[in-house]
Amino acid sequence: MSAFFFALMALLVRLAGDVPTMQKSFFRNAVALIVATVVLVKNGGGFRWGKGNFPYLFVRAFCGTLGLICNFYAVDHLVLSDANMLNKLSPFFAILFSIIILKERVKLYQWCAVAVAFIGALFIIKPTGVTMNFASIIGFVGGMGAGAAYTMVRKLSIRGERSPYIVFFFSAFSCVVIAPFIILGFQPMTLHQTLLLIATGLAAAGGQFSITAAYSYAPAREISVFDYSQVIFAALLGFFILGQIPDVWSIIGYVIICGVSVIMFMINRKSVVPTQSNN
């Protein structure tokens, strides 16, 4: 469900047309901010962060905002499935940042997975000598920002910060940062575009709540691979709604990145020793 909602969000962003990227990002986070606020009020606990968590919340919000803006830019300028695939590099960047930030030890096969995923990304970015696809590079940076943001979410979870508050802080931070761009360069929208951007925020909220529910029922190593089905949903939506067909190089990139993700998934499952029942 999360993969479908996020793919739908990307499609709605594209359908909103020539609205500036910053304006699209603001609407997406404004709706998420309202939803997160309602959840916080319902659950109680107030609107203050845990002791010592502000630096991690700030880095999570900054990197998440960067990743969001870059992803929306890529969605507007690339084939929908290409933009989604570049954003799905975030788990591999999360491995790299976990070494630096969380001081986690990374095994050889994880290093290999990162290297292979990068090669897969090159098939999508398609660098050609000095001239490179700018939108693809922006999408690549978006995946990097998302990976750093997810690393901070993990750090905050380890420190006991509430999930709804992490979403609230990120959404509020993004709205505040993007607001000046909206004020200085607001572009009037039609009712149709406004409704599409509101629907974008609702789809994003659906994706966030779905992924939160999924991770509450199973560890990341067992379910993270299913997140790559977002690329399939994006390719189908892009084909049937936008008439987009990825080129052969992009398809090779999809196969490489999805393939290494499945391999990592299988290795992680084999490394888990099942516990003996007491019954």
Side-chain angles (χ1 to χ4, degrees), residues 134-151:
F134 180 73
S136 294
I137 297 173
I138 293 297
F140 185 84
V141 173
M144 184 185 302
Y150 293 152
T151 304

Side-chain angles (χ1 to χ4, degrees), residues 4-20 23-25 27-28 31 72 75-76 80 84 189 192-207 233-234 237-238 241-242 244:
F4 172 76
F5 276 127
F6 281 130
L8 178 61
M9 177 197 75
L11 174 66
L12 292 169
V13 167
R14 185 65 174 260
L15 291 176
D18 59 353
V19 179
Q23 208 160 309
K24 291 179 178 180
S25 302
F27 268 81
R28 180 253 191 254
V31 175
F72 275 22
V75 165
D76 277 339
L80 194 63
N84 275 270
M189 300 182 296
H192 178 67
Q193 289 175 320
T194 302
L195 292 176
L196 280 173
L197 289 181
I198 292 174
T200 296
L202 293 175
F233 286 124
L237 290 171
I241 306 299
L242 303 176
Q244 296 178 337

Side-chain angles (χ1 to χ4, degrees), residues 21-166:
T21 299
M22 289 294 191
Q23 208 160 309
K24 291 179 178 180
S25 302
F26 182 84
F27 268 81
R28 180 253 191 254
N29 279 335
V31 175
L33 177 60
I34 294 172
V35 174
T37 300
V38 171
V39 173
L40 277 176
V41 171
K42 181 179 179 181
N43 293 346
F47 289 84
R48 290 192 59 83
W49 56 76
K51 184 178 180 181
N53 285 346
F54 176 77
Y56 305 107
L57 283 166
F58 178 83
V59 175
R60 184 268 180 270
F62 177 84
C63 293
T65 300
L66 175 65
L68 173 67
I69 294 172
C70 290
N71 182 38
F72 275 22
Y73 182 89
V75 165
D76 277 339
H77 295 83
L78 295 173
V79 173
L80 194 63
S81 50
D82 277 15
N84 275 270
M85 192 72 260
L86 289 171
N87 189 250
K88 290 296 119 184
L89 286 172
S90 55
F92 300 100
F93 281 115
I95 291 175
L96 296 178
F97 287 121
S98 68
I99 301 171
I100 301 170
I101 299 170
L102 303 181
K103 308 301 181 183
E104 293 183 347
R105 298 182 63 183
V106 176
K107 297 179 180 179
L108 178 60
Y109 77 87
Q110 292 173 318
W111 278 115
C112 293
V114 172
V116 174
F118 180 78
I119 293 173
L122 291 179
F123 278 93
I124 302 172
I125 297 173
K126 292 181 280 289
T128 55
V130 178
T131 303
M132 300 183 71
N133 189 326
F134 180 73
S136 294
I137 297 173
I138 293 297
F140 185 84
V141 173
M144 184 185 302
Y150 293 152
T151 304
M152 287 295 99
V153 169
R154 183 174 181 182
K155 178 71 173 181
L156 287 163
S157 298
I158 293 173
R159 294 177 61 87
E161 190 60 78
R162 296 164 293 158
S163 295
Y165 187 78
I166 297 174

Side-chain angles (χ1 to χ4, degrees), residues 194-231:
T194 302
L195 292 176
L196 280 173
L197 289 181
I198 292 174
T200 296
L202 293 175
Q208 287 184 347
F209 278 100
S210 297
I211 198 68
T212 300
Y215 277 95
S216 69
Y217 284 106
R221 62 177 177 270
E222 293 184 11
I223 64 173
S224 60
V225 68
F226 296 105
D227 193 36
Y228 282 84
S229 63
Q230 180 180 336
V231 181

